[in-house]
Amino acid sequence: MHGGICVAVVMLLGAGSTAPGGEPVWPAPDWATAAPQDVGLDPALLEQAKNYALTGGGSGCVVRYGRRVLAWGDPRKLYDLKSTTKSIGVTALGLAIADGKARLDDKAIEHHPGFGRPPDENRQTGWLPRITLLHLATHTAGFAKPGGYTALGFEPGTRWAYSDGGPNWLAECLTLAYRRDLAELMFERVFTPLGIGRSDLRWRENAYRPRTIEGIPRREFGAGIHANVDAMARIGYLYLRCGRWRDTQILPPDFVAAVSRTPDWLAKLPVADPRQYGNASRHYGLLWWNNGDGTLARVPRDAFWSWGLYDSLIVVIPTLDLVVARAGDSWKRTGTDHYDVLRPFLEPLAAAAGPASGRPERQGGLGPGVYRTVSLAAADDRPPYPPSPVIAGIQWAPPETIVRKAPGSDNWPLTWGDDDAMYGAYGDGRGFAPFVERKLSLGLCRIRGGPADFVGENVRSPTLECTGEGPRGPKASGLLMVNGTLYMLVRNTGNAQLAWSGDHGRTWTWADWKFRVSFGCPTFLNFGPNYAGARDPYVYIYSPDSDSAYRRADRMVLARVLQSRITDPAAYEYFAGLHGGQPIWTRDVSGRGAVFVHPGHCYRSSVTWHPVLKRYLWCQTGLGDDPRFEGGLAIYDAPEPWGPWTTVFYTARWDVGPGESSSLPAKWMGEDGRTVYLVFSENDCFSVRKATLLERLR
């Protein structure tokens, strides 16, 4: 199936909401309510979004963690939703897929013998037998805009052109698949279970084609639904929860994923009328719009929404656990981009989920008990996740105590070997003294001893060593020993490549395959010596969601593979989100979801299990123009490899340069549970700094 598994991610819930990974709150029958600040939303920014919405009058509501936190207008008034009907109607496609009555790659003509006619000239093109349900659901079938019977304008799958006619053909295909009125089907299977009554939603008869098809009422997907904002919010909440409502999985999670994101093939298509729709093919899913290409830079990339004439909207932002519904009259158009009219509404809604302006926030690097006021304009100064419930912060040893060795070498991914040594890799240097004879982009070393008396030695390996400056040279981004075998993830190889050694690094075998999509700078999750203490039989791999190690991404992604099959590319699974608090995995990399979101800040990192605190510690570094000398550093923690992530330490400008890589090696974690050592590449050295984790008062 196209689109992969559900990308909705259950985030750490705010005060007054369910516990992380717990049962969501459901309307019963009305929404539970909460004050915005009780669920981590800034009331002033919500008010800003509402005031903009009201420039077009109408009604709306905001739901976070299943609680309504804001409403305006009449929640029961029915509005003509126009093209939001497409997004509601496509839900019937999800039902058909779940029921085995349809697949996205089905040819439309298999479901509808009269498909595409009239006009009869469509038959002459030879294109009708090639049009799939996927084409109809993505505006790539070629039908003209009007909802009646229109001519094909181009070969299917070669352009994106907004259409009512294509979705209306999709509605007919599904009507014939079920041989039922789609309105009755949807009330039985979706609307009524969601608590939407016939006074909340009305689906008019087809206005552009005969009222029946083979004696069955014919509905439209192009337009035709009138509904109130309460019903709209419930539909949005169904999609936020990956198609689940209470104990019933109404829609397949992978269908919701396909709805909410743009497949690679679609993003590459030209838009037939870019003057009206801009770069629409890069941010459109299955009859829902999205922000997958980051056109709205201040809105999370996983946001997706319905959008009809008069600016009717059902907005779903999984990483913020946010649903917003709005209907009324159109907003005034002033910008040139198709999405510009949405910015004054969506941007303050997204910003409201960050730390409120003027609210005290704990900041790393300022000392215990020291707070500062965070400005919403200072995005780099604002951590993306709330404070850790376990670790109150970090007290760093003074800068003058930092130990620096291997001058001129950077990078330094580390792992704890079966011989009690740490193994590391360096880049663009000559390693530890005595130095190797020439600068390497990839060299191996062994570090023996503790943090106060360690000795580093270079391990020579002709089958591993590489040369080349910067992005021109292969470099290690992750290192792991499992069952006596060293595994290395090597970046700058387009995108990244695996190598392994069974003799402690002397000789290496390189995989004959590479990561080709995303995973441009992958790193392993490290446990104890030789992977001792691992939580399960899997190895976990994190990376910025980017093909390059030199481009900061908006989110991090996660893969896993059985320890016994690390070298087998077919064995890799990709994290796609959470359902009921449990991770969902897919073998299709295009279905990958975010395991961590911080727009424009996801770069090089490392993750280590802390066995005393029983937390996963994630170091992220590399912010700043030249982080060797100045820049930001962040450390996050979580109880599971997939989260929920909270902030241990965050600063946009550390008191020394954090370098472009950092880690908290498991071998140097103190048994007291508080002492750790950060290894980082400040000033192109193997730099070591002692730190004390501050316990949060219970």
Side-chain angles (χ1 to χ4, degrees), residues 88-109:
I88 298 174
V90 81
T91 306
L93 176 58
L95 293 178
I97 291 170
D99 293 342
K101 292 183 176 293
R103 299 179 304 171
L104 288 178
D105 58 1
D106 283 354
K107 300 297 191 292
I109 205 165

PDB file of all heavy atoms in Angstrom, residues 88-109:
ATOM      1  N   ILE A  88     -13.252  14.458   3.965  1.00  0.00           N
ATOM      2  CA  ILE A  88     -14.179  13.600   4.707  1.00  0.00           C
ATOM      3  C   ILE A  88     -14.560  12.393   3.858  1.00  0.00           C
ATOM      4  O   ILE A  88     -14.592  11.253   4.326  1.00  0.00           O
ATOM      5  CB  ILE A  88     -15.426  14.403   5.130  1.00  0.00           C
ATOM      6  CG1 ILE A  88     -15.019  15.557   6.067  1.00  0.00           C
ATOM      7  CG2 ILE A  88     -16.447  13.495   5.799  1.00  0.00           C
ATOM      8  CD1 ILE A  88     -16.154  16.492   6.416  1.00  0.00           C
ATOM      9  N   GLY A  89     -14.841  12.636   2.580  1.00  0.00           N
ATOM     10  CA  GLY A  89     -15.266  11.557   1.695  1.00  0.00           C
ATOM     11  C   GLY A  89     -14.233  10.475   1.513  1.00  0.00           C
ATOM     12  O   GLY A  89     -14.566   9.279   1.435  1.00  0.00           O
ATOM     13  N   VAL A  90     -12.948  10.869   1.460  1.00  0.00           N
ATOM     14  CA  VAL A  90     -11.911   9.861   1.217  1.00  0.00           C
ATOM     15  C   VAL A  90     -11.840   8.847   2.352  1.00  0.00           C
ATOM     16  O   VAL A  90     -11.257   7.767   2.196  1.00  0.00           O
ATOM     17  CB  VAL A  90     -10.544  10.548   0.988  1.00  0.00           C
ATOM     18  CG1 VAL A  90      -9.882  10.928   2.316  1.00  0.00           C
ATOM     19  CG2 VAL A  90      -9.611   9.656   0.170  1.00  0.00           C
ATOM     20  N   THR A  91     -12.453   9.169   3.491  1.00  0.00           N
ATOM     21  CA  THR A  91     -12.544   8.201   4.580  1.00  0.00           C
ATOM     22  C   THR A  91     -13.210   6.909   4.112  1.00  0.00           C
ATOM     23  O   THR A  91     -12.873   5.817   4.574  1.00  0.00           O
ATOM     24  CB  THR A  91     -13.317   8.817   5.760  1.00  0.00           C
ATOM     25  OG1 THR A  91     -12.707  10.063   6.132  1.00  0.00           O
ATOM     26  CG2 THR A  91     -13.342   7.882   6.960  1.00  0.00           C
ATOM     27  N   ALA A  92     -14.138   7.037   3.165  1.00  0.00           N
ATOM     28  CA  ALA A  92     -14.782   5.834   2.622  1.00  0.00           C
ATOM     29  C   ALA A  92     -13.790   4.958   1.882  1.00  0.00           C
ATOM     30  O   ALA A  92     -13.948   3.724   1.847  1.00  0.00           O
ATOM     31  CB  ALA A  92     -15.933   6.235   1.689  1.00  0.00           C
ATOM     32  N   LEU A  93     -12.773   5.571   1.292  1.00  0.00           N
ATOM     33  CA  LEU A  93     -11.719   4.773   0.652  1.00  0.00           C
ATOM     34  C   LEU A  93     -10.965   3.973   1.707  1.00  0.00           C
ATOM     35  O   LEU A  93     -10.614   2.806   1.481  1.00  0.00           O
ATOM     36  CB  LEU A  93     -10.776   5.693  -0.119  1.00  0.00           C
ATOM     37  CG  LEU A  93      -9.557   5.032  -0.775  1.00  0.00           C
ATOM     38  CD1 LEU A  93      -9.976   3.946  -1.754  1.00  0.00           C
ATOM     39  CD2 LEU A  93      -8.695   6.087  -1.481  1.00  0.00           C
ATOM     40  N   GLY A  94     -10.698   4.589   2.860  1.00  0.00           N
ATOM     41  CA  GLY A  94     -10.049   3.857   3.944  1.00  0.00           C
ATOM     42  C   GLY A  94     -10.864   2.675   4.407  1.00  0.00           C
ATOM     43  O   GLY A  94     -10.335   1.592   4.678  1.00  0.00           O
ATOM     44  N   LEU A  95     -12.188   2.841   4.492  1.00  0.00           N
ATOM     45  CA  LEU A  95     -13.057   1.721   4.854  1.00  0.00           C
ATOM     46  C   LEU A  95     -12.969   0.611   3.813  1.00  0.00           C
ATOM     47  O   LEU A  95     -12.890  -0.576   4.159  1.00  0.00           O
ATOM     48  CB  LEU A  95     -14.503   2.201   4.969  1.00  0.00           C
ATOM     49  CG  LEU A  95     -14.858   3.165   6.101  1.00  0.00           C
ATOM     50  CD1 LEU A  95     -16.323   3.560   6.001  1.00  0.00           C
ATOM     51  CD2 LEU A  95     -14.563   2.550   7.461  1.00  0.00           C
ATOM     52  N   ALA A  96     -12.986   0.999   2.537  1.00  0.00           N
ATOM     53  CA  ALA A  96     -12.946  -0.006   1.472  1.00  0.00           C
ATOM     54  C   ALA A  96     -11.641  -0.789   1.495  1.00  0.00           C
ATOM     55  O   ALA A  96     -11.622  -2.002   1.247  1.00  0.00           O
ATOM     56  CB  ALA A  96     -13.140   0.673   0.121  1.00  0.00           C
ATOM     57  N   ILE A  97     -10.550  -0.104   1.803  1.00  0.00           N
ATOM     58  CA  ILE A  97      -9.263  -0.797   1.913  1.00  0.00           C
ATOM     59  C   ILE A  97      -9.294  -1.767   3.101  1.00  0.00           C
ATOM     60  O   ILE A  97      -8.860  -2.915   2.999  1.00  0.00           O
ATOM     61  CB  ILE A  97      -8.125   0.227   2.042  1.00  0.00           C
ATOM     62  CG1 ILE A  97      -7.958   0.981   0.714  1.00  0.00           C
ATOM     63  CG2 ILE A  97      -6.822  -0.449   2.437  1.00  0.00           C
ATOM     64  CD1 ILE A  97      -7.019   2.172   0.790  1.00  0.00           C
ATOM     65  N   ALA A  98      -9.835  -1.310   4.229  1.00  0.00           N
ATOM     66  CA  ALA A  98      -9.922  -2.175   5.409  1.00  0.00           C
ATOM     67  C   ALA A  98     -10.814  -3.388   5.150  1.00  0.00           C
ATOM     68  O   ALA A  98     -10.537  -4.492   5.648  1.00  0.00           O
ATOM     69  CB  ALA A  98     -10.450  -1.374   6.594  1.00  0.00           C
ATOM     70  N   ASP A  99     -11.855  -3.191   4.359  1.00  0.00           N
ATOM     71  CA  ASP A  99     -12.810  -4.273   4.090  1.00  0.00           C
ATOM     72  C   ASP A  99     -12.380  -5.168   2.936  1.00  0.00           C
ATOM     73  O   ASP A  99     -13.090  -6.129   2.594  1.00  0.00           O
ATOM     74  CB  ASP A  99     -14.186  -3.682   3.771  1.00  0.00           C
ATOM     75  CG  ASP A  99     -14.826  -2.996   4.970  1.00  0.00           C
ATOM     76  OD1 ASP A  99     -14.385  -3.266   6.104  1.00  0.00           O
ATOM     77  OD2 ASP A  99     -15.752  -2.189   4.762  1.00  0.00           O
ATOM     78  N   GLY A 100     -11.240  -4.856   2.317  1.00  0.00           N
ATOM     79  CA  GLY A 100     -10.779  -5.662   1.197  1.00  0.00           C
ATOM     80  C   GLY A 100     -11.549  -5.418  -0.088  1.00  0.00           C
ATOM     81  O   GLY A 100     -11.479  -6.229  -1.022  1.00  0.00           O
ATOM     82  N   LYS A 101     -12.279  -4.325  -0.168  1.00  0.00           N
ATOM     83  CA  LYS A 101     -13.063  -4.019  -1.359  1.00  0.00           C
ATOM     84  C   LYS A 101     -12.303  -3.171  -2.367  1.00  0.00           C
ATOM     85  O   LYS A 101     -12.764  -2.992  -3.506  1.00  0.00           O
ATOM     86  CB  LYS A 101     -14.368  -3.313  -0.979  1.00  0.00           C
ATOM     87  CG  LYS A 101     -15.353  -4.207  -0.231  1.00  0.00           C
ATOM     88  CD  LYS A 101     -16.644  -3.488   0.049  1.00  0.00           C
ATOM     89  CE  LYS A 101     -17.650  -4.414   0.716  1.00  0.00           C
ATOM     90  NZ  LYS A 101     -18.101  -5.500  -0.197  1.00  0.00           N
ATOM     91  N   ALA A 102     -11.175  -2.610  -1.971  1.00  0.00           N
ATOM     92  CA  ALA A 102     -10.411  -1.756  -2.884  1.00  0.00           C
ATOM     93  C   ALA A 102      -8.973  -1.667  -2.401  1.00  0.00           C
ATOM     94  O   ALA A 102      -8.676  -1.868  -1.213  1.00  0.00           O
ATOM     95  CB  ALA A 102     -11.027  -0.359  -2.961  1.00  0.00           C
ATOM     96  N   ARG A 103      -8.095  -1.347  -3.343  1.00  0.00           N
ATOM     97  CA  ARG A 103      -6.697  -1.030  -3.058  1.00  0.00           C
ATOM     98  C   ARG A 103      -6.338   0.228  -3.835  1.00  0.00           C
ATOM     99  O   ARG A 103      -6.934   0.526  -4.871  1.00  0.00           O
ATOM    100  CB  ARG A 103      -5.778  -2.172  -3.467  1.00  0.00           C
ATOM    101  CG  ARG A 103      -6.031  -3.495  -2.754  1.00  0.00           C
ATOM    102  CD  ARG A 103      -5.086  -4.572  -3.260  1.00  0.00           C
ATOM    103  NE  ARG A 103      -5.208  -4.704  -4.714  1.00  0.00           N
ATOM    104  CZ  ARG A 103      -4.393  -5.435  -5.456  1.00  0.00           C
ATOM    105  NH1 ARG A 103      -3.397  -6.108  -4.886  1.00  0.00           N
ATOM    106  NH2 ARG A 103      -4.563  -5.516  -6.772  1.00  0.00           N
ATOM    107  N   LEU A 104      -5.345   0.932  -3.345  1.00  0.00           N
ATOM    108  CA  LEU A 104      -4.977   2.182  -4.009  1.00  0.00           C
ATOM    109  C   LEU A 104      -4.512   1.958  -5.437  1.00  0.00           C
ATOM    110  O   LEU A 104      -4.715   2.817  -6.303  1.00  0.00           O
ATOM    111  CB  LEU A 104      -3.889   2.906  -3.221  1.00  0.00           C
ATOM    112  CG  LEU A 104      -4.323   3.550  -1.909  1.00  0.00           C
ATOM    113  CD1 LEU A 104      -3.132   4.192  -1.219  1.00  0.00           C
ATOM    114  CD2 LEU A 104      -5.418   4.578  -2.133  1.00  0.00           C
ATOM    115  N   ASP A 105      -3.873   0.837  -5.701  1.00  0.00           N
ATOM    116  CA  ASP A 105      -3.366   0.611  -7.058  1.00  0.00           C
ATOM    117  C   ASP A 105      -4.386  -0.079  -7.963  1.00  0.00           C
ATOM    118  O   ASP A 105      -4.070  -0.443  -9.095  1.00  0.00           O
ATOM    119  CB  ASP A 105      -2.057  -0.177  -7.027  1.00  0.00           C
ATOM    120  CG  ASP A 105      -2.183  -1.522  -6.325  1.00  0.00           C
ATOM    121  OD1 ASP A 105      -3.296  -1.856  -5.864  1.00  0.00           O
ATOM    122  OD2 ASP A 105      -1.165  -2.233  -6.238  1.00  0.00           O
ATOM    123  N   ASP A 106      -5.629  -0.246  -7.491  1.00  0.00           N
ATOM    124  CA  ASP A 106      -6.682  -0.790  -8.354  1.00  0.00           C
ATOM    125  C   ASP A 106      -6.927   0.149  -9.528  1.00  0.00           C
ATOM    126  O   ASP A 106      -6.951   1.383  -9.370  1.00  0.00           O
ATOM    127  CB  ASP A 106      -8.001  -0.938  -7.584  1.00  0.00           C
ATOM    128  CG  ASP A 106      -8.016  -2.141  -6.664  1.00  0.00           C
ATOM    129  OD1 ASP A 106      -7.062  -2.940  -6.696  1.00  0.00           O
ATOM    130  OD2 ASP A 106      -8.990  -2.263  -5.892  1.00  0.00           O
ATOM    131  N   LYS A 107      -7.158  -0.416 -10.701  1.00  0.00           N
ATOM    132  CA  LYS A 107      -7.596   0.377 -11.841  1.00  0.00           C
ATOM    133  C   LYS A 107      -9.049   0.790 -11.612  1.00  0.00           C
ATOM    134  O   LYS A 107      -9.900  -0.037 -11.262  1.00  0.00           O
ATOM    135  CB  LYS A 107      -7.466  -0.421 -13.132  1.00  0.00           C
ATOM    136  CG  LYS A 107      -6.028  -0.874 -13.438  1.00  0.00           C
ATOM    137  CD  LYS A 107      -5.105   0.313 -13.646  1.00  0.00           C
ATOM    138  CE  LYS A 107      -3.755  -0.109 -14.206  1.00  0.00           C
ATOM    139  NZ  LYS A 107      -2.960  -0.887 -13.241  1.00  0.00           N
ATOM    140  N   ALA A 108      -9.339   2.055 -11.834  1.00  0.00           N
ATOM    141  CA  ALA A 108     -10.694   2.552 -11.587  1.00  0.00           C
ATOM    142  C   ALA A 108     -11.722   1.831 -12.434  1.00  0.00           C
ATOM    143  O   ALA A 108     -12.843   1.542 -11.981  1.00  0.00           O
ATOM    144  CB  ALA A 108     -10.742   4.055 -11.850  1.00  0.00           C
ATOM    145  N   ILE A 109     -11.349   1.498 -13.638  1.00  0.00           N
ATOM    146  CA  ILE A 109     -12.293   0.873 -14.563  1.00  0.00           C
ATOM    147  C   ILE A 109     -12.691  -0.528 -14.099  1.00  0.00           C
ATOM    148  O   ILE A 109     -13.734  -1.050 -14.494  1.00  0.00           O
ATOM    149  CB  ILE A 109     -11.680   0.855 -15.983  1.00  0.00           C
ATOM    150  CG1 ILE A 109     -12.788   0.813 -17.041  1.00  0.00           C
ATOM    151  CG2 ILE A 109     -10.687  -0.301 -16.154  1.00  0.00           C
ATOM    152  CD1 ILE A 109     -12.304   1.161 -18.432  1.00  0.00           C
TER     153      ILE A 109
END
